[in-house]
Amino acid sequence: MRRRRLAPLLAVSVTATLAPALASSTAIAAPAATPSTASSTAAKGALDRYVQQKPQWKRCEADTPAEFECATIKAPLDYRAPGGKRIDLAISRIKSTAPDKRHGVLLSNPGGPGGEGLYMPLVMREELPKSAQQKYDLIGFDPRGVGKSSPVSCGLKPEEEDWLRPYKEKTFDKDVAWAHDVANKCREKAGDRLPHITTRNTARDMDLLRAVLGEKKLSYVGISYGTYLGAVYTQLFPDRADRFVLDSAVDPARAWRGMIQWWAKGAEPAFDRWTEWAAERSEKYDLGDTPKEVDRTLWDLVAQANEKPIEVEGKPTTGDDIRSGMRAAVFTPKEATEAVVELKKAAAGESAAKKLAAFTGAKGTRAGAAAAAEVPSDNMTSSFWAVVCGDNSAAWSRDPESYRQDAIEDKGRYPLYGDFASSIKPCAFWDESVEPATKVNNKAGSLVVQNEWDPQTPLPSGQALHADLKGSKMVTVLGGEGHGVYPNGNACTDGTVNDYLLTGELPAKDVTCKATADSNAKARKNQKRDVLPGFPLPERAPDRF
């Protein structure tokens, strides 16, 4: 799929709440200058006013549970100038079911960048054990620029949101023009806000939310991109991180071009595993008696579709569509095998079963007409580029020809997806980042949870974050398939995470769990669920983290 989610505090000074964020930003913005006493006092006063906000909680929507409450608070657009422009932050909560047992607040993020998190308390209530629901107020929020938090738009047309493009010599100049146009549109329509829609500022928003809620510390569950957001928070505010669960992790050193390229590199061992799996079951599936024969079957279908697109569910499917779809599919060998069997039928002119969504680009839609009307249609993509380009502009070459060369070389190295991942992106024409990328290297406690076979954040990515977070422990699910681990019904995995959330005690050493057929099935079901009945839910799409 190539394209288409205070009373005690008032006695604490600003220095102990948000001033570290302000200080680091100011130092980066003007390293040779020292803020005057007057300007420091003004900044302190501005931040104090943000901290003193009192959310006006009310039922989120008429058809949502009464206990699911929403509010809006203000945050500085630019933390270096907190007295300047402000943005809205949409927040939500479900209060602890046992106030006498309450430990604090548990914030969550579903991934992205660009994923809406306002409805996450409903998801967490569904997934957490009752004992954990007693321990925490469940807190959700739409990150800045996303959903109901002052959403950004670049005014992109649907075809302009199609961003994972295969390299072709004859279309490369058009792809460069597309990338240039997207960057220009974003600059023209939202250029005053885009530089400040970054992971570092979203982490500062999290700390502002902690302060507004009157909490000394913050607990957190972050999935995919949410692991990077959580890691950046621990770097900026290590003393305020309480119990942090980082599920399906991003390698901070590869944010963000390197993480996109890892989609290609990580797919190759999964592809080899798939060919072996299918060959072992050749009598049933008839894709080939050896891994080499299975490999040939797939690439013959790609060549056929490149010559003449294969009609799949009424849609023409090209070889590039097949490659793109198989990139994620091979991480679950059974589903990939069944899909290729049906693709073979379609290529032969036979009627195929409904196993081909990966190749046709089918995907879920955002639920709720009212919610959709409030948010620009390109908001997920616009906010995605704001973060992916703005977090670390140094990771993106300014020379279009370098992307051509990388795409050609990586298609050779990683034939399934290398050119998709490495070809030109709008970040090549983005403005320079306001701040450098965050180097994650701290001792804050956290629990990294990772499947062995994850199509979005491969196992080495989780291992890299674990190495950067010196105080972390890691749960590795051997044989675990899919993106997003917790909860998966596996007593080893779920038990380790639940114990940490309930007690705050990390395991004494790293934990290795073994996946079961049931736990893999539940993980895949969680990943594919587009909506919680009646409510918008951030989708975990194959072109996002």
Side-chain angles (χ1 to χ4, degrees), residues 3 15 29 36 43 65 69 74 100 142 194 207 246 256 305 307 317 387 389-390 420 447 484 490 498:
R3 73 167 298 275
T15 302
S36 68
E69 301 177 302
K74 298 291 184 180
D100 58 319
D142 283 345
L194 286 181
D207 203 56
L246 307 176
W256 283 103
E307 186 73 23
T317 300
V387 173
C389 302
F420 284 90
L447 187 65
N490 184 315
N498 290 338

Side-chain angles (χ1 to χ4, degrees), residues 3 11 72 101 121 201 214 218 220 234 282 305 317 322 343 352 375 377 418 461 466 479 501 509 520 530:
R3 73 167 298 275
T72 300
K101 297 181 179 179
N201 278 335
L218 191 68
Y220 177 79
T234 66
S282 61
T317 300
I322 296 171
L343 184 64
V375 180
S377 61
S461 180
H466 175 38
L501 288 174
K509 59 182 181 179
N520 276 341
D530 292 318

Side-chain angles (χ1 to χ4, degrees), residues 9 79 93-94 100-101 106 149 153 177 230 237 327 352 365 371 373 428 431 448 460 515 519 528 535 539:
L9 185 74
Y79 276 92
R93 74 176 179 186
I94 296 176
D100 58 319
K101 297 181 179 179
L106 181 66
S149 291
S153 170
F237 309 103
R327 196 276 299 175
T365 57
D431 292 339
V448 178
S519 67
K528 291 179 179 179
F535 313 113
E539 63 179 326

Side-chain angles (χ1 to χ4, degrees), residues 104-153:
V105 297
L106 181 66
L107 191 67
S108 52
N109 178 276
E116 299 172 22
L118 193 66
Y119 286 80
M120 282 300 290
L122 291 171
V123 181
M124 298 305 294
R125 183 176 68 169
E126 187 180 74
E127 296 180 344
L128 289 172
K130 293 187 182 301
S131 52
Q133 295 179 45
Q134 294 175 339
K135 280 277 187 181
Y136 298 101
D137 291 348
L138 306 178
I139 306 296
F141 77 116
D142 283 345
R144 58 171 49 210
V146 174
K148 296 182 179 180
S149 291
S150 296
V152 297
S153 170

